[in-house]
Amino acid sequence: MNIYDVSKHAGVSIATVSRVLNGNPNVSEKTRNKVMNVMAELGYTPNVFARGLGLNTMQTIGIMCSDSSDPYLANAIYYLERALRSFEYDAILCCTGYDLDAKQKYFNLLRSKRVDAIILAGSKFVEMRPKDNSYLIEAAKDLPLMLVNGYLEGENIYSTLCDDHAAMHHAATGLLKSGRRRILYLYTSYSFSGVNKMEGYKDAYRDFGLPLNESLICQCAKDISVARDTLLGLHGQGLEFDAVITSDDSLAVGAVKYAHEAGISIPDQLSVIGYNNSLLSRCTDPEITSIDSKVEALCTTTINTLMGVFSGMNVPSRTTIASDLIKRQTTNF
Amino acid sequence: MNIYDVSKHAGVSIATVSRVLNGNPNVSEKTRNKVMNVMAELGYTPNVFARGLGLNTMQTIGIMCSDSSDPYLANAIYYLERALRSFEYDAILCCTGYDLDAKQKYFNLLRSKRVDAIILAGSKFVEMRPKDNSYLIEAAKDLPLMLVNGYLEGENIYSTLCDDHAAMHHAATGLLKSGRRRILYLYTSYSFSGVNKMEGYKDAYRDFGLPLNESLICQCAKDISVARDTLLGLHGQGLEFDAVITSDDSLAVGAVKYAHEAGISIPDQLSVIGYNNSLLSRCTDPEITSIDSKVEALCTTTINTLMGVFSGMNVPSRTTIASDLIKRQTTNF
DNA sequence: TTGTATGCGTTATCAG
DNA sequence: CTGATAACGCATACAA
């Protein structure tokens, strides 16, 4: 069942069938109807492979993410896929893990599949050492690269990101204004996004005119129990803090658990602020005040930008979206 | 840059290049090396569209799910993608929502993309009315259909599912044995999986020799707050229950919140059991005892079965996987 | 407005 | 073991 069959049944040439198929206006109404009827009758569906070969595109975008089961990325993937589909693009998903070699391998794999663009979802794709990003910059010569919540400078590379610095600055300032002085900063990684968040935290202290206490900055694995135990450990060592602000909601959940276990009342004795406003922030009691990094806006903007790139429009190489602070019960300001 | 360029540079025919490309043994070691060197030198990558056209496959599987941001499905997608990639297949993701028309539309869209198989992830794709499933049964004549945690009988349809009935039966029996008598069953939907779970709950009562109290069976939306408020409402109406067992972890989180709000102690006065053993079950205090529906095993088994189908092996049309009960702090047995 | 002919980059058949 | 050539199904430039 191909275009020849349709042309035969309709008594026209394959060129005409192709025109009807592609909505070419240079077809008489009568012919168009005839062809359409035959196609419906025969249940004809164009062969996407042949179409892809001719047009050198299959309207497919590659989405790379380190771990699609992470709540934040799961949301991102959902919104990206939905937005892409609204423009009639398909999404090939590729979960890479966190290893650079694996990321490069999968990136090249995706390129060899001739996707029309690659979306890097999450801030884990931009490495600290510039030379580790050269494969991305090089590849962008061939196809648009879209970063969701990451930033990389380069021709044909477009970044859409949440203003993590401002978000964290605002949240920490809120805590300071409410009288908290010893805000513990709990973070997971030094990714692009991670660095911005930490700077926001630091600058909040500076702009508030208070000295920064480096011992209040603490790294831990992205895991509820690990975060809880880390805080219990610090508490046991005598470290004092009256607030915890985290780079991810899961750590904030750990902080709430720590307070329960240590018999510390929230928010009276301890304030907690999480990041991402994920489902997790609504699971605990009290529910967690969290920074909404606007995943949905991030994703739809990314896709809109991509469509702009495809249609040759002049689009910004970097778009920043403001975050929101969703106040719940772990803060009292 | 195509196969002709390579053949020219290597001084062989395109047929030979193609043989090298496909690992055909009928090529002399010498020729093979020569061609391989030229390919590496030129940085040649075969064109997947042309390949797809010739072979009528692009090694791509469609994954449909109602909502990829749901924690359970997000996990499933992660494992499915990983397993598929280990067999060098790509995954096209398609989030359909819950509307039947939309599901059908996207299903046909995916078919028109000539994927090699379609995976229906989650129990929301099998409708109550048989005629609403006929489009699936019909389509299975053309390509394998894999159901993850759903069951549909039909030629070329393969289901891998968790024994929800046994899981719920086991959990409810545990509660009964521990002395609970009024177990509230909170569920979200009448999907295939949902019906099995409820039957497990009912049969637990029957097999334990106790009468079933229909007023203890209650439906509510899949939302933490809605679940909490539903329970508060029932409690306010004077309904008594000493345990809550739910069809999804999010409802169980709501149950824990309800207990907090109503001043009921867990697990002394109220036991809670969730379903799916998702991240949510570890967020609350106390952490929730939950039924592990073995998503990973479900997914890897699904893909292994699929590969069996592709290689013409005789594979079971239905595979059942046993669940686990992960005991945490909301139960005392 | 319609038809003819050719190209897209492979795979596969068949002959040597 | 190798090469020439015909599919595969569509898009499109050019001709009519």
Side-chain angles (χ1 to χ4, degrees):
Chain A
M1 165 71 59
N2 56 29
I3 207 172
Y4 288 90
D5 297 320
V6 177
S7 79
K8 220 168 286 171
H9 282 254
V12 299
S13 74
I14 60 159
T16 300
V17 177
S18 178
R19 288 191 189 97
V20 172
L21 223 45
N22 294 288
N24 187 314
N26 295 330
V27 181
S28 75
E29 196 55 31
K30 198 175 142 195
T31 311
R32 177 181 308 281
N33 284 332
K34 189 169 55 180
V35 172
M36 300 250 278
N37 286 334
V38 171
M39 292 199 297
E41 201 176 307
L42 267 54
Y44 165 76
T45 319
N47 183 307
V48 288
F49 302 147
R51 195 158 207 277
L53 183 57
L55 298 175
N56 202 32
T57 162
M58 274 198 28
Q59 301 269 102
T60 302
I61 308 294
I63 299 181
M64 289 182 53
C65 73
S66 35
D67 174 6
S68 66
S69 64
D70 173 90
Y72 177 80
L73 291 176
N75 260 306
I77 289 165
Y78 173 77
Y79 291 122
L80 288 170
E81 194 271 343
R82 214 181 50 170
L84 282 172
R85 204 159 288 289
S86 76
F87 288 104
E88 305 194 292
Y89 276 82
D90 286 318
I92 289 187
L93 180 63
C94 183
C95 306
T96 63
Y98 299 94
D99 178 58
L100 178 58
D101 284 346
K103 286 188 276 192
Q104 289 193 5
K105 180 185 123 193
Y106 286 126
F107 183 83
N108 288 325
L109 186 71
L110 225 39
R111 281 216 302 163
S112 75
K113 295 294 160 56
R114 317 239 166 177
V115 292
D116 297 328
I118 292 183
I119 298 174
L120 303 174
S123 58
K124 295 288 186 296
F125 290 97
V126 179
E127 310 291 331
M128 297 298 280
R129 293 183 304 188
K131 79 174 189 62
D132 287 341
N133 296 320
S134 55
Y135 77 105
L136 294 175
I137 294 170
E138 194 59 27
K141 289 174 182 167
D142 295 334
L143 85 177
L145 233 53
M146 314 299 294
L147 306 214
V148 179
N149 213 27
Y151 178 68
L152 185 63
E153 189 164 334
E155 195 67 39
N156 211 20
I157 300 181
Y158 304 88
S159 308
T160 310
L161 25 81
C162 170
D163 191 342
D164 293 311
H165 181 281
M168 197 51 98
H169 188 283
H170 175 243
T173 302
L175 289 171
L176 290 169
K177 280 188 181 161
S178 77
R180 307 287 155 152
R181 286 296 172 268
R182 299 185 60 82
I183 308 172
L184 187 81
Y185 180 64
L186 205 56
Y187 72 102
T188 59
S189 79
Y190 274 115
S191 67
F192 173 79
S193 167
V195 168
N196 280 334
K197 290 175 189 172
M198 188 183 297
E199 290 306 314
Y201 162 83
K202 288 179 176 174
D203 290 349
Y205 264 98
R206 194 200 57 200
D207 296 345
F208 202 76
L210 285 176
L212 182 72
N213 189 335
E214 290 281 352
S215 69
L216 287 174
I217 297 180
C218 177
Q219 183 173 22
C220 92
K222 190 174 189 160
D223 179 90
I224 295 170
S225 325
V226 172
R228 180 201 55 201
D229 295 343
T230 301
L231 293 176
L232 281 170
L234 293 172
H235 181 70
Q237 287 165 31
L239 184 73
E240 288 183 16
F241 47 94
D242 51 17
V244 177
I245 193 162
T246 69
S247 68
D248 187 272
D249 278 338
S250 57
L251 302 186
V253 170
V256 170
K257 282 180 178 289
Y258 146 76
H260 275 233
E261 195 132 334
I264 294 167
S265 85
I266 295 176
D268 296 342
Q269 298 171 268
L270 185 76
S271 295
V272 176
I273 298 183
Y275 211 106
N276 283 341
N277 190 29
S278 67
L279 202 50
L280 302 194
S281 66
R282 300 201 296 119
C283 288
T284 58
D285 234 320
E287 297 187 358
I288 300 169
T289 294
S290 183
I291 293 164
D292 185 342
S293 44
K294 298 293 179 64
V295 213
E296 180 169 8
L298 233 50
C299 294
T300 54
T301 303
T302 296
I303 302 306
N304 286 334
T305 305
L306 179 58
M307 295 305 140
V309 173
F310 285 154
S311 50
M313 287 169 54
N314 208 349
V315 300
S317 66
R318 174 176 180 151
T319 310
T320 305
I321 288 181
S323 67
D324 250 3
L325 183 64
I326 309 296
K327 293 179 185 167
R328 296 205 179 83
Q329 303 148 6
T330 56
T331 47
N332 51 9
F333 64 87
Chain B
M1 164 70 57
N2 56 29
I3 208 171
Y4 287 92
D5 297 322
V6 177
S7 79
K8 222 168 286 172
H9 281 255
V12 298
S13 74
I14 61 160
T16 300
V17 177
S18 178
R19 287 191 190 98
V20 171
L21 223 44
N22 294 288
N24 187 314
N26 295 330
V27 182
S28 74
E29 196 56 32
K30 199 175 145 193
T31 311
R32 176 182 309 280
N33 284 332
K34 190 169 53 183
V35 173
M36 301 249 278
N37 286 335
V38 170
M39 292 198 298
E41 201 176 305
L42 268 53
Y44 165 77
T45 318
N47 183 306
V48 288
F49 303 148
R51 194 157 209 275
L53 182 57
L55 298 176
N56 201 33
T57 161
M58 273 195 34
Q59 300 270 100
T60 302
I61 308 295
I63 298 181
M64 290 181 56
C65 71
S66 35
D67 174 5
S68 67
S69 66
D70 173 90
Y72 177 79
L73 291 176
N75 260 307
I77 289 165
Y78 174 78
Y79 291 122
L80 289 170
E81 195 271 343
R82 212 180 52 169
L84 281 172
R85 205 159 287 288
S86 76
F87 288 105
E88 305 194 291
Y89 276 82
D90 286 319
I92 289 187
L93 182 62
C94 182
C95 306
T96 63
Y98 299 93
D99 178 57
L100 177 59
D101 284 347
K103 287 189 275 190
Q104 288 193 5
K105 179 185 126 196
Y106 285 125
F107 183 82
N108 288 325
L109 187 70
L110 224 40
R111 279 216 302 163
S112 75
K113 295 294 160 57
R114 316 239 165 178
V115 293
D116 298 328
I118 293 183
I119 299 174
L120 303 174
S123 59
K124 295 289 186 295
F125 290 97
V126 179
E127 310 291 332
M128 296 298 280
R129 292 184 303 187
K131 79 177 188 62
D132 288 341
N133 296 320
S134 55
Y135 78 104
L136 294 174
I137 294 171
E138 194 59 29
K141 289 174 181 166
D142 294 334
L143 85 177
L145 234 52
M146 314 298 296
L147 306 214
V148 179
N149 213 26
Y151 177 68
L152 185 63
E153 189 163 334
E155 195 68 38
N156 211 20
I157 301 181
Y158 304 88
S159 309
T160 310
L161 26 81
C162 170
D163 190 342
D164 293 311
H165 181 282
M168 198 51 100
H169 188 284
H170 175 241
T173 301
L175 289 171
L176 290 170
K177 279 187 182 163
S178 78
R180 306 287 154 152
R181 286 298 171 266
R182 298 184 61 82
I183 308 172
L184 188 81
Y185 181 63
L186 207 55
Y187 71 103
T188 58
S189 79
Y190 275 115
S191 68
F192 174 78
S193 167
V195 169
N196 280 334
K197 290 175 189 171
M198 188 183 296
E199 291 304 315
Y201 162 82
K202 288 181 177 174
D203 290 349
Y205 264 98
R206 193 199 59 198
D207 296 345
F208 202 76
L210 285 176
L212 182 72
N213 189 336
E214 291 282 351
S215 68
L216 288 174
I217 297 180
C218 178
Q219 183 173 22
C220 93
K222 190 174 187 162
D223 179 272
I224 295 171
S225 325
V226 172
R228 180 200 56 202
D229 295 345
T230 301
L231 293 176
L232 281 170
L234 292 172
H235 181 70
Q237 288 164 30
L239 183 72
E240 290 184 14
F241 47 94
D242 51 17
V244 177
I245 191 161
T246 70
S247 68
D248 187 274
D249 277 339
S250 58
L251 302 186
V253 170
V256 170
K257 283 181 177 290
Y258 146 76
H260 275 233
E261 194 132 334
I264 294 168
S265 85
I266 294 178
D268 296 343
Q269 297 171 270
L270 186 75
S271 296
V272 176
I273 298 183
Y275 211 106
N276 283 342
N277 191 29
S278 68
L279 202 48
L280 302 194
S281 66
R282 300 201 297 118
C283 288
T284 58
D285 234 319
E287 298 187 357
I288 300 170
T289 294
S290 185
I291 293 164
D292 185 342
S293 44
K294 297 295 179 62
V295 212
E296 180 169 8
L298 233 49
C299 293
T300 53
T301 303
T302 296
I303 302 307
N304 286 334
T305 305
L306 179 57
M307 296 305 139
V309 172
F310 284 154
S311 50
M313 286 169 54
N314 208 349
V315 300
S317 66
R318 174 175 180 151
T319 310
T320 304
I321 288 180
S323 67
D324 250 3
L325 183 64
I326 310 296
K327 294 180 185 167
R328 296 205 180 83
Q329 303 149 6
T330 56
T331 48
N332 51 10
F333 62 87

